[in-house]
Amino acid sequence: MANKYYDSFKDLRTGKYDWKVQARVLNLWQGYTKKGEPFKSFNLLLLDSKRCRIHAFVPGNAADVLEKALEVVKIYLFKNFTVKEYKDEDKFRCILKDIQITFSHETKISDLEESDVFIEKVGFDFYDIGDLEELSKQTTYLIDVIGVIEEPELNLAKFKNRLGRPQTHMKFHICDGNSRVKVTFWDAFAELFDEAIKEEFEWPLIIIIGSGRKEVLYNVKVKKVNTQQNWFKHICTSCYEEAKKDNGIFHCICGPRDVPYPEKWFNLCVVYCASTGEIEIVLENVACQKCYGKHVCDILDEDDESNFPKALNTIEDEDYKFHIAIQNGEGPIESKKCVAKDIISEKYPNNNDDNQPRPLEESYAELSTSTFHLDTMSENN
């Protein structure tokens, strides 16, 4: 098949439907709810013969049919799909584009042979490791990096986190000749990577990390807990957005939907002193669960809902590491108010030799100063 008869992802624009593109499937993945349950819909990362990549979204009503027709690494002809612009709130995009494509029941997918068209098996937009700190201030795009693994031997660490749940991670450093950064793989991805490196490779090993995210931790001493604000919020059980009470009935803020039995999630505000003055940090549900080792309902069982629970004051004057969400390019110092997605207490032991496995009873989950949460990793053949 001649390439000239087909479109390229670089030519896409909104307002047209009858596109025809030959492309290789680089990756396929699902999103997850806040409870860790997979969505029926899924995502694709595609690469065409012009070395142009695109993010494709397959909604749940078309997922069953289209997923059966697709296999990662294979080449297909994709016909009839829509082009949509990303919304401002669409964060952590896997490619540097302002558009994505959406498939439907009208989308046609045909198998192609490797001899039909030449399409490379991988594609990346690399950044220098030295640029990662500045890139961590934005939440729009994920990051591709390449580097040499510095450690001569890698080990998978198994431990119990503060809630007593088993976890695994693998930590190591990579270097690109000018800068170095610590990388952490967590749980299933860490185990997958551990299996992959059991094959015979020549060291030093060069690794490509695709669609990674650099996170920033802040060392903070909590000055006080704000007892004047609500310490939890009600959550819609369908979409996990906030539910507001009106005339005695909870309604989801995302639409006209009653929520008769909303969930209760932490939303605790604390204050700490920085060189620029007092800064408020809102501790979200996961952060508080890790900090207190309890759910909202556990604390409500111990205290009257009309009173502010005294148990929540126990974090005052304690040192913590907060994983702060960067919003509009501003960290906590600039914004004066921010949100903590995760929290790690300094009261717990921290062994610098963190590449070595530990007995389950003696290890604690801790994010590194540069932690990559990965959607994909590809090997450059």
Side-chain angles (χ1 to χ4, degrees):
M1 296 184 184
N3 288 343
K4 63 182 180 181
Y5 298 114
Y6 297 94
D7 302 302
S8 170
F9 292 137
K10 67 181 179 63
D11 301 321
L12 297 183
R13 64 182 186 277
T14 57
K16 180 181 175 180
Y17 177 75
D18 55 343
W19 299 99
K20 297 187 296 182
V21 181
Q22 298 168 312
R24 187 186 298 277
V25 178
L26 296 182
N27 198 13
L28 184 155
W29 72 97
Q30 290 176 292
Y32 289 83
T33 68
K34 293 180 180 179
K35 282 194 165 184
E37 300 168 350
F39 288 113
K40 190 175 181 180
S41 59
F42 64 92
N43 303 271
L44 296 166
L45 183 60
L46 306 176
L47 176 69
D48 69 14
S49 60
K50 303 295 184 182
R51 296 183 177 179
C52 185
R53 298 186 300 166
I54 198 72
H55 169 215
F57 176 71
V58 182
N61 58 7
D64 287 341
V65 174
L66 296 186
E67 187 172 12
K68 294 176 182 177
L70 296 168
E71 186 175 336
V72 175
V73 181
K74 286 195 173 182
I75 301 175
Y76 301 91
L77 172 61
F78 296 92
K79 299 172 63 176
N80 302 337
F81 52 83
T82 57
V83 180
K84 297 177 62 177
E85 294 182 350
Y86 280 112
K87 300 177 182 178
D88 291 340
E89 59 267 25
D90 291 331
K91 306 299 183 183
F92 303 117
R93 306 171 195 175
C94 58
I95 56 173
L96 302 177
K97 281 188 175 295
D98 295 324
I99 58 171
Q100 63 176 329
I101 62 176
T102 301
F103 293 164
S104 69
H105 288 298
E106 301 299 321
T107 301
K108 305 299 181 184
I109 301 176
S110 305
D111 291 3
L112 295 178
E113 299 295 332
E114 292 287 338
S115 58
D116 292 331
V117 57
F118 174 75
I119 300 177
E120 295 183 358
K121 293 186 177 180
V122 293
F124 301 98
D125 292 313
F126 288 122
Y127 284 93
D128 292 336
I129 291 176
D131 296 332
L132 295 185
E133 184 170 356
E134 185 64 27
L135 288 167
S136 70
K137 298 177 182 179
Q138 60 85 34
T139 58
T140 305
Y141 302 108
L142 295 171
I143 303 163
D144 298 341
V145 294
I146 184 171
V148 178
I149 296 178
E150 294 185 341
E151 286 76 4
E153 183 177 350
L154 301 179
N155 297 285
L156 187 70
K158 297 184 178 182
F159 53 90
K160 284 185 179 179
N161 63 24
R162 202 168 307 151
L163 300 180
R165 297 170 183 166
Q167 281 195 273
T168 56
H169 70 206
M170 181 178 289
K171 295 185 178 184
F172 54 92
H173 295 83
I174 63 172
C175 175
D176 62 5
N178 295 310
S179 304
R180 67 195 295 265
V181 68
K182 182 184 286 185
V183 179
T184 303
F185 292 160
W186 287 96
D187 298 322
F189 195 90
E191 295 172 11
L192 181 66
F193 184 70
D194 184 55
E195 286 296 318
I197 61 174
K198 288 180 180 177
E199 299 181 20
E200 292 188 6
F201 291 103
E202 290 187 10
W203 290 77
L205 191 64
I206 299 174
I207 185 174
I208 294 173
I209 301 174
S211 297
R213 184 168 84 237
K214 187 176 190 292
E215 298 179 343
V216 180
L217 300 181
Y218 291 84
N219 293 317
V220 169
K221 179 184 284 290
V222 176
K223 178 183 178 182
K224 63 181 178 181
V225 174
N226 190 333
T227 60
Q228 303 304 311
Q229 295 188 17
N230 292 333
W231 59 277
F232 70 91
K233 58 185 178 181
H234 294 88
I235 299 295
C236 174
T237 53
S238 296
C239 66
Y240 302 107
E241 295 296 334
E242 189 171 0
K244 297 287 188 179
K245 196 172 187 179
D246 182 30
N247 294 326
I249 300 175
F250 284 98
H251 304 277
C252 179
I253 63 173
C254 292
R257 179 171 53 245
D258 292 348
V259 187
Y261 302 104
E263 294 190 9
K264 296 181 177 70
W265 285 10
F266 283 106
N267 194 57
L268 181 67
C269 183
V270 302
V271 177
Y272 86 97
C273 289
S275 58
T276 56
E278 290 190 349
I279 296 175
E280 289 188 338
I281 301 178
V282 177
L283 306 186
E284 290 194 335
N285 195 53
V286 172
C288 283
Q289 286 181 7
K290 287 187 176 182
C291 186
Y292 296 107
K294 297 179 180 180
H295 297 272
V296 170
C297 292
D298 298 328
I299 293 180
L300 289 175
D301 288 341
E302 300 169 0
D303 215 319
D304 190 330
E305 185 171 344
S306 61
N307 299 320
F308 191 90
K310 295 180 180 179
L312 298 181
N313 295 323
T314 56
I315 64 172
E316 292 182 346
D317 296 321
E318 297 290 351
D319 295 318
Y320 293 91
K321 279 185 180 177
F322 289 88
H323 165 208
I324 301 297
I326 303 297
Q327 298 176 330
N328 300 321
E330 294 184 341
I333 303 301
E334 299 89 353
S335 64
K336 297 296 183 181
K337 188 168 185 177
C338 52
V339 175
K341 297 289 187 181
D342 211 336
I343 185 171
I344 299 109
S345 174
E346 289 292 313
K347 295 181 291 184
Y348 291 88
N350 177 20
N351 193 317
N352 290 328
D353 189 15
D354 52 18
N355 287 310
Q356 299 300 320
R358 300 279 183 267
L360 289 179
E361 296 77 20
E362 298 179 5
S363 291
Y364 298 86
E366 181 170 335
L367 294 174
S368 65
T369 51
S370 300
T371 299
F372 286 89
H373 295 259
L374 303 176
D375 293 312
T376 178
M377 183 186 72
S378 298
E379 181 183 350
N380 197 352
N381 294 324

